[in-house]
Amino acid sequence: MIKVAVLGYGNIGSGVVQVLSMNQECIKKTAGQEIEVKSVLDLREFPGDPMENKVVHDIHQIIEDPEIQIVVETMGGTKPAYDFVKACLEAGKTVATSNKELVAKHGAELMRIAEEKQINFLFEASVGGGIPIIRPLNQCITSDEVYEITGILNGTTNYMLTNMAKKGMTFDAILKKAQELGYAERHPEADIEGFDACRKIAILSSLAFGAQVDYEDIHTEGITTISDIDIKYALKLEKAIKLFGTSKKIENKIYAMVSPVMIGEEHPLYSVNGVMNGILVRGDVIGDLMFYGAGAGKLPTASAVVADVVEAAKNLNRTVMRRWSEKKLGLEPFELTKNAFFVRISGEAQQRQEELEAVFGSFDIVKVVEGEFGILTKEMTEAEYMEKAGKITGILNRIRLAN
């Protein structure tokens, strides 16, 4: 029997305990032995809960317990999660986590410690919730050189953008609805400002390209500038607006960004709607691979954590996770990234066409609402766009176009 400890008995932590109990026989068969939760670390008490008598309040009770071989961390954040996880690894205990911030910030170091101890630091649930993406990148696509990862990595923003398009709702109205349904937090900045997606694409980029990609270096824009009018233009163009986290390797240079994009129905991620996530991986041999599923939620995320627990149980004295280098991977300046753009401009297109052609060259025009119009530019660098846009008055918004 393998004894497990769970750090944090919130939504995901309790979900892990539930999955381990609910699928006990299946898990035992796959892991080769029974897995039992011995301790749960939390500041609170849980009277009447099945784990009531297993709750502890001191991390040292777990670190110093020789029976506990696997630790599950679902606390979130980096403090005190980083200190607790590092101490568990140094004590020779494998750790499985759903904590994207911890992995993005300290993953390289924690994987190194695990490798030195011949144990594992596993984090399948840190990206894409229940979608298996970390393990395929780590184990199944090693013969390929990955040159692009693009994902809809945040279910909250995808739900909001989907319903703005399908129901004609305003940004504020759909945010309120998302909060009522529990898809968005009371303070939703991590989702709507793109920070959550940024940490996830940093993890995927680090794993794919083999060195530390700092999320602080990734240019990040959320969906707060997207209005119902932007959605009307997208529908007119038979396109959808999605929040993408993207990293690309072009001539051995790495570019990364999080931002809203317009995509057409030919794009593999076009039909990823609602709270679902989708991740597109492009390799030089395998071509395009799509990973699709529930990107968040108690049980989907807990399922991914338990999959790591089972993997750890089968490899107690052997490191299976291919780690990335702690050396920082420098990203190319955001200003050198190339995109085409959809640009909304106030005024009448006929009156401003000559002025705009002098700046942007040729472009396509789309008209949806009175008093403004949209143009579709050719591809250019971000720096070129900013220089051209500086010469134009009345720009209301701009959204990148993705192929």
Side-chain angles (χ1 to χ4, degrees):
M1 178 183 290
I2 293 177
K3 300 291 182 70
V4 174
V6 177
L7 310 186
Y9 199 53
N11 192 42
I12 305 304
S14 62
V16 169
V17 172
Q18 182 179 344
V19 172
L20 285 170
S21 174
M22 185 169 60
N23 293 338
Q24 188 175 24
E25 288 305 312
C26 174
I27 290 168
K28 178 181 177 180
K29 184 177 179 181
T30 306
Q33 55 187 312
E34 190 174 343
I35 296 174
E36 178 187 276
V37 177
K38 182 178 182 181
S39 300
V40 172
L41 179 75
D42 206 290
L43 294 174
R44 301 163 293 175
E45 301 289 350
F46 297 89
D49 190 274
M51 292 289 110
E52 177 182 5
N53 296 323
K54 297 186 178 184
V55 174
V56 300
H57 307 298
D58 185 352
I59 185 63
H60 290 95
Q61 289 181 253
I62 292 170
I63 294 170
E64 296 167 9
D65 188 336
E67 286 192 333
I68 294 174
Q69 295 174 280
I70 300 172
V71 175
V72 170
E73 186 276 312
T74 60
M75 302 170 70
T78 58
K79 291 293 182 181
Y82 166 69
D83 294 327
F84 288 2
V85 167
K86 184 176 180 180
C88 288
L89 290 170
E90 289 176 337
K93 303 178 191 300
T94 279
V95 174
T97 182
S98 60
N99 189 337
K100 55 190 166 286
E101 187 175 358
L102 175 69
V103 178
K105 188 77 173 176
H106 301 289
E109 177 195 3
L110 297 173
M111 281 188 287
R112 174 179 54 78
I113 295 170
E115 187 175 79
E116 290 169 354
K117 295 288 183 177
Q118 293 189 310
I119 53 176
N120 286 287
F121 176 66
L122 302 172
F123 46 91
E124 182 65 68
S126 66
V127 178
I131 302 172
I133 181 64
I134 301 298
R135 196 168 287 109
L137 278 179
N138 182 61
Q139 297 177 0
C140 306
I141 316 177
T142 53
S143 62
D144 270 67
E145 181 169 357
V146 173
Y147 63 85
E148 179 182 344
I149 300 177
T150 293
I152 296 171
L153 301 170
N154 183 272
T156 299
T157 51
N158 203 43
Y159 168 83
M160 292 174 63
L161 292 170
T162 298
N163 282 276
M164 287 174 74
K166 289 188 174 181
K167 299 180 180 179
M169 299 177 75
T170 65
F171 180 90
D172 290 340
I174 192 57
L175 174 57
K176 183 179 179 181
K177 182 69 173 177
Q179 289 171 321
E180 290 171 354
L181 293 171
Y183 296 145
E185 300 289 342
R186 181 183 174 191
H187 301 288
E189 290 79 13
D191 294 325
I192 63 175
E193 297 288 358
F195 305 143
D196 176 79
C198 176
R199 289 180 173 90
K200 292 173 180 176
I201 196 64
I203 293 169
L204 294 176
S205 301
S206 298
L207 186 56
F209 302 131
Q212 176 68 25
V213 174
D214 288 347
Y215 60 80
E216 297 94 338
D217 295 341
I218 297 175
H219 179 83
T220 301
E221 300 173 19
I223 65 167
T224 55
T225 62
I226 303 299
S227 70
D228 51 325
I229 296 175
D230 294 311
I231 298 291
K232 289 178 181 177
Y233 278 100
L235 293 172
K236 175 79 171 182
L237 292 164
E238 297 184 336
K239 295 181 181 293
I241 299 177
K242 306 289 186 182
L243 182 68
F244 273 7
T246 298
S247 62
K248 295 181 180 181
K249 188 175 187 180
I250 303 173
E251 297 178 350
N252 289 319
K253 296 177 179 179
I254 308 298
Y255 302 81
M257 182 189 301
V258 174
S259 73
V261 297
M262 273 192 189
I263 56 173
E265 61 182 7
E266 71 282 356
H267 196 285
L269 296 172
Y270 177 83
S271 58
V272 178
N273 291 316
V275 295
M276 306 303 280
N277 281 194
I279 303 167
L280 171 66
V281 178
R282 287 182 160 147
D284 63 345
V285 175
I286 198 109
D288 289 2
L289 292 176
M290 268 286 292
F291 299 84
Y292 170 84
K298 177 177 179 175
L299 292 183
T301 304
S303 174
V305 175
V306 172
D308 275 347
V309 171
V310 172
E311 182 80 359
K314 293 161 65 177
N315 297 279
L316 285 175
N317 300 302
R318 182 171 69 97
T319 303
V320 296
M321 193 69 194
R322 176 171 55 94
R323 68 184 178 94
W324 62 78
S325 169
E326 292 178 70
K327 182 180 178 181
K328 180 176 175 178
L329 182 63
L331 300 177
E332 290 300 298
F334 155 74
E335 292 80 7
L336 299 181
T337 307
K338 288 187 176 182
N339 288 290
F341 296 87
F342 162 77
V343 188
R344 280 175 54 208
I345 303 169
S346 62
E348 295 299 329
Q350 289 182 335
Q351 296 174 1
R352 303 199 62 180
Q353 186 162 353
E354 186 176 338
E355 168 198 0
L356 293 170
E357 285 179 346
V359 175
F360 287 108
S362 60
F363 53 80
D364 295 323
I365 296 174
V366 58
K367 178 80 174 174
V368 171
V369 298
E370 291 299 318
E372 65 171 77
F373 58 98
I375 66 170
L376 305 176
T377 77
K378 293 182 177 179
E379 187 178 76
M380 63 189 79
T381 66
E382 294 283 338
E384 288 171 332
Y385 170 78
M386 288 185 282
E387 186 267 332
K388 293 176 186 296
K391 299 176 180 179
I392 301 297
T393 60
I395 291 181
L396 302 171
N397 200 7
R398 64 94 180 89
I399 303 172
R400 295 170 183 88
L401 300 168
N403 296 322

